[in-house]
Amino acid sequence: MAPAKLTRRTLLTGTAAAAGLALAGCSSSTDEAAAPPSRKPGEKITLAFWSWVPGIEKSVDLWNSKNPEVQVKLEKVIAGNKGAYPKMFAALKAGNPPDLGQVEYQQIPSFLLEEGLTDLTKLGINDHAGKFVDWQWQQGVFGDGVYAVPQASGPMGMYYREDRFKAWGVQPPTTWDEFETAARAIRKADPKSYICSFPPTSGGWFSAMSWQAGAKWFDVRGDDWVVNIDSEQTRQVATYWEKLIRADLVKPEPDQQSGWFAEVQAGTIGCWVAAQWGDAILAGNAANTSGKWRVAQMPQWDLAKPASSNWGGSSTAVLNGSKYPKEALEFALWLNTDPASVDLLIQGGYGWPAAKDAFSGSALDKPSPFFGNAKYNEVFAKSDQLIDKSWKWIPTISDTHRHLGDAITAAIAKKTSFADAIATVQQQTVADLTAKGLKVATA
């Protein structure tokens, strides 16, 4: 028997403990699945692949040069909920999706709710599980199915301008208390500068900050999703950043936007607490600052209990409706495990590899002129080991992140409590899950 297909009904009503999703009631159908389609010997095909990963075209070109019968046509799409995902969902609904799509780990449950991903177990993907870091592999595992090939993650660190810190007379902070002290010293030394910005609309960044503090926003208990956004740890993070904003110690503004890049280039923003993939963003948008950056671990809440977190990370998924899922999977596996491909992806700045042992000897494991010829990725290698990897995502995470951005932006504008904003987001998230027909509990 082929593995049962994970349908929307299964996701809503299947076995919670097995799938890692809050489900209750009926199990999925166990009808015999049809053999997946495959190309005929000698037949030339073209696979459509939608992705936003920088530099991924080099890996695609390498594949195409080696596989004349199975070509991949790459279409670059805009990342996120205003670009790639609405386009993918529309294509799935219309019955003409690409064979492969870039899908962030946090978005996999959303795609499963819409029956948008192919169960790759019937194509033999489990034979390749040992090639990947376990926690990233698990991001695509639901029940007995595997629905994505892991690509990369985003362990967190602190990028900082060594030259500016020296000019301001501050040391890289190792704790969040030291971070506040350094922020005050910088504002006193140079009223035009800030230690960092605070991105009000970035729910993903705020998730990572809460993750590091020990929050567990989502879990499964029996047949229920458990929502615990409004926790002590999240309120600690929210209150901390509210305090810094009210005291004019950090600048509330979106990161990775033109204004922010201008400040980074000018050195009026001293650091960026961000994921490993941020290195390529800095190098690509602030080339004039080459040699002036360094990287340290995230400041800690408790030095005796060091912790980090993850921001981002994505997979290569075979979308339901692909005419050639077998060949699509072969490409996805090659893309994310072949040493030459992985090295090209690393050079493009795709994040922290999901492939096991990809760090040692790779482009990541070399001194970087942009970071003062330091082997800065050693920081992220350690960070990766300090992540609580039990963090879970929910099918409505995009809505939660949007609620966060709206609530915190409003709290800044109205000078109301960040803690109250978090409580509102908790209520909104429960309502979102309930509207999907999922059973929900609160911690």
Side-chain angles (χ1 to χ4, degrees):
M1 294 285 287
K5 178 183 177 183
L6 183 62
T7 65
R8 187 176 194 278
R9 178 172 175 77
T10 305
L11 192 63
L12 293 173
T13 62
T15 305
L21 298 172
L23 320 166
C26 305
S27 62
S28 63
S29 169
T30 56
D31 294 340
E32 186 74 28
S38 183
R39 70 186 181 98
K40 299 174 183 177
E43 179 185 1
K44 293 184 178 181
I45 65 171
T46 299
L47 302 173
F49 177 29
W50 294 357
S51 176
W52 60 80
V53 172
I56 200 169
E57 59 271 11
K58 293 182 178 179
S59 288
V60 172
D61 289 344
L62 180 60
W63 166 274
N64 285 338
S65 70
K66 295 175 177 293
N67 297 272
E69 292 185 355
V70 181
Q71 295 285 283
V72 174
K73 183 180 180 180
L74 175 67
E75 180 177 338
K76 280 297 193 73
V77 291
I78 298 171
N81 295 314
K82 295 183 179 180
Y85 298 138
K87 186 173 181 177
M88 287 185 198
F89 285 128
L92 285 163
K93 186 175 181 180
N96 58 353
D99 297 276
L100 301 117
Q102 195 78 35
V103 178
E104 293 169 286
Y105 295 147
Q106 66 189 32
Q107 294 294 338
I108 292 174
S110 302
F111 273 81
L112 292 179
L113 272 179
E114 301 303 325
E115 300 184 49
L117 304 181
T118 299
D119 181 358
L120 303 173
T121 56
K122 58 183 176 289
L123 301 172
I125 193 174
N126 282 324
D127 294 339
H128 304 275
K131 298 176 181 179
F132 299 94
V133 175
D134 183 64
W135 84 270
Q136 292 199 57
W137 172 265
Q138 291 297 327
Q139 295 294 303
V141 176
F142 295 89
D144 294 329
V146 181
Y147 294 87
V149 176
Q151 183 171 94
S153 63
M156 295 285 281
M158 184 180 72
Y159 300 95
Y160 68 96
R161 283 282 298 270
E162 184 182 51
D163 60 324
R164 301 300 289 147
F165 271 44
K166 286 181 177 179
W168 294 324
V170 298
Q171 295 293 319
T174 61
T175 68
W176 287 113
D177 284 342
E178 290 178 3
F179 191 91
E180 179 182 344
T181 300
R184 293 184 183 279
I186 290 169
R187 294 293 288 143
K188 183 176 181 180
D190 182 1
K192 294 182 180 180
S193 298
Y194 292 87
I195 191 170
C196 72
S197 64
F198 174 88
T201 59
S202 180
W205 182 86
F206 193 85
S207 295
M209 303 305 289
S210 302
W211 189 341
Q212 188 223 11
K216 295 180 186 292
W217 283 3
F218 313 114
D219 205 347
V220 170
R221 185 169 63 215
D223 294 329
D224 296 341
W225 278 108
V226 179
V227 178
N228 192 26
I229 297 173
D230 189 16
S231 66
E232 177 184 353
Q233 295 88 350
T234 308
R235 289 193 296 272
Q236 177 186 25
V237 171
T239 302
Y240 176 85
W241 288 100
E242 180 184 1
K243 176 183 178 182
L244 267 57
I245 290 170
R246 302 293 185 230
D248 195 30
L249 300 180
V250 298
K251 187 173 184 178
E253 66 173 350
D255 59 11
Q256 305 176 65
Q257 303 294 324
S258 58
W260 183 82
F261 283 128
E263 292 162 351
V264 167
Q265 293 163 4
T268 56
I269 292 291
C271 80
W272 186 29
V273 181
Q276 190 276 338
W277 44 259
D279 59 353
I281 290 174
L282 290 173
N285 292 278
N288 64 309
T289 63
S290 180
K292 300 175 180 178
W293 290 92
R294 302 293 184 271
V295 183
Q297 293 294 333
M298 294 179 75
Q300 297 295 308
W301 293 105
D302 183 350
L303 284 173
K305 300 176 182 178
S308 188
S309 63
N310 182 76
W311 179 17
S314 64
S315 69
T316 310
V318 179
L319 273 64
N320 262 344
S322 170
K323 294 180 181 179
Y324 302 101
K326 178 177 179 292
E327 288 76 13
L329 175 58
E330 289 173 356
F331 167 73
L333 289 166
W334 175 90
L335 177 70
N336 296 306
T337 60
D338 179 83
S341 175
V342 169
D343 220 43
L344 289 171
L345 292 170
I346 288 171
Q347 291 173 33
Y350 82 139
W352 195 255
K356 277 186 178 178
D357 304 320
F359 170 67
S360 181
S362 73
L364 291 172
D365 193 21
K366 296 176 182 177
S368 167
F370 189 85
F371 292 97
N373 291 314
K375 295 178 73 172
Y376 69 99
N377 277 304
E378 291 178 348
V379 172
F380 292 107
K382 181 178 179 181
S383 172
D384 193 48
Q385 300 303 310
L386 296 175
I387 299 170
D388 176 1
K389 299 175 178 64
S390 65
W391 181 277
K392 292 180 173 64
W393 298 110
I394 57 173
T396 57
I397 189 61
S398 294
D399 294 323
T400 296
H401 282 168
R402 176 171 50 80
H403 297 322
L404 272 168
D406 292 345
I408 291 176
T409 298
I412 292 172
K414 298 177 182 179
K415 294 183 170 55
T416 53
S417 165
F418 277 29
D420 288 347
I422 297 303
T424 297
V425 173
Q426 164 94 10
Q427 295 169 1
Q428 292 170 321
T429 299
V430 169
D432 292 336
L433 288 166
T434 302
K436 292 287 186 182
L438 296 167
K439 296 179 66 178
V440 188
T442 56

